[in-house]
Amino acid sequence: QVQLQESGPGLVKPSQTLSLTCTVSGGSITTNDYYWSWIRQPPGKGLEWMGAIAYSDNTYYSPSLKSRTSISRDTSKNQFTLQLSSVTPEDTAVYYCARSHGGSSWSNWDEYDYWGQGTQVTVSS
């Protein structure tokens, strides 16, 4: 059973960089053909795919967030990390990490088989 757990600060000030870590257990983030994504849900809105890191270490980003987003991994800890720079209150959301098999339909939520429980991040001074 694969489990994902998000961790990071719940409050970030505007213009700062948001940093979240997803710790994976029960499976390796380097297993072939699996992709590890960050997805968020602002209050009152739908899910938004932000980006992903592949088993191969390739990264993929949403065009709308690409200039502010960086995803990396630490294979020794079986973790992957999201950094979102220059945050504004519009980045307030519940942030999820999730796994998918195959990397094509990023916003097809049926493609994701495991999700973290989500972590609330509020951007406010």
Side-chain angles (χ1 to χ4, degrees), residues 4 11 45 74 85 118:
L4 294 86
L11 180 65
K45 297 184 179 181
D74 185 337
S85 64

Side-chain angles (χ1 to χ4, degrees), residues 48-123:
E48 178 185 20
W49 178 77
M50 301 180 69
I53 189 163
Y55 62 97
S56 59
D57 204 24
N58 287 342
T59 52
Y60 309 83
Y61 298 106
S62 168
S64 64
L65 295 170
K66 184 175 183 178
S67 64
R68 299 196 291 131
T69 307
S70 178
I71 298 175
S72 59
R73 69 182 187 178
D74 185 337
T75 57
S76 68
K77 297 180 180 179
N78 215 35
Q79 296 176 332
F80 61 105
T81 298
L82 168 73
Q83 290 195 310
L84 181 67
S85 64
S86 304
V87 297
T88 72
E90 285 66 44
D91 293 309
T92 294
V94 177
Y95 286 74
Y96 299 93
C97 54
R99 187 186 84 165
S100 63
H101 187 261
S104 57
S105 303
W106 301 116
S107 295
N108 180 356
W109 312 124
D110 291 340
E111 295 288 319
Y112 295 86
D113 55 359
Y114 291 101
W115 293 72
Q117 64 182 21
T119 187
Q120 173 69 48
V121 177
T122 300
V123 179

